[in-house]
Amino acid sequence: MIKLARLLAILTMLTTVSCERDTGMFGGVPIEVNLIGKWALELIVTPTKSFDSAQIGYKEVLESGHEIDDEVERVYRNDTLFAKHIWSRVPGTVSKTKTMTVIVTYRGSGLKRSYKIRKQTGQPTLLEASAYLPELGGNADTVKFFYKEVQ
């Protein structure tokens, strides 16, 4: 009876460990950690047109990082602070490991932004982002911003 109980415990543990979970964790850390850094806007894609960095008309840099007790995003356009967004804790971020996506809600504004993280070994990380929107998934969510990690 003890051997059967041990066998069942081991099988349960193996099944639990081997199941791929979509908890927002990757390599033991939350995937939103990948958003921390400095990012240069390279491309904006709308349903009808695409604009590369030369066509956009301004240089945009997104800087994300930890500041005192908050996660903060600063958007610079032509080296001037254009916007500052503080991540909300309630509701917190929603992340999915399988798709490497993170939805961030920002404190005080009610805005949200979705990110898709694209990592390649030996290459700078790329981000695909929505606009800052009150709700994701509508017609306004069809514009995508593509950022490249600044080394």
Side-chain angles (χ1 to χ4, degrees), residues 4 10 30 32 36 41 49 68 73 75-76 80 84 87 89 92 101 104 108-109 115 122-123 127 137 139 148-149 151:
L4 180 59
I10 290 171
E32 53 263 38
I36 304 302
L41 180 63
K49 292 183 181 178
I68 304 173
E73 290 178 11
V75 179
Y76 294 91
T80 301
K84 177 181 175 182
W87 294 15
R89 292 183 188 199
T101 56
V104 178
S109 65
Y115 291 97
Q123 299 293 319
L127 295 180
N139 286 342
K148 184 177 183 179
E149 184 178 23
Q151 301 288 328

Side-chain angles (χ1 to χ4, degrees), residues 38-98:
K38 190 173 184 180
W39 311 89
L41 180 63
E42 293 208 318
L43 181 69
I44 298 174
V45 177
T46 73
T48 57
K49 292 183 181 178
S50 294
F51 303 93
D52 65 23
S53 58
Q55 298 169 313
I56 293 171
Y58 54 85
K59 181 180 91 173
E60 181 171 298
V61 173
L62 170 68
E63 288 186 10
S64 298
H66 187 75
E67 182 178 293
I68 304 173
D69 288 333
D70 297 310
E71 306 312 319
V72 177
E73 290 178 11
R74 285 187 171 78
V75 179
Y76 294 91
R77 289 195 177 162
N78 296 327
D79 300 320
T80 301
L81 181 63
F82 176 76
K84 177 181 175 182
H85 303 281
I86 300 171
W87 294 15
S88 175
R89 292 183 188 199
V90 178
T93 58
V94 176
S95 1
K96 297 190 182 215
T97 306
K98 288 180 187 175

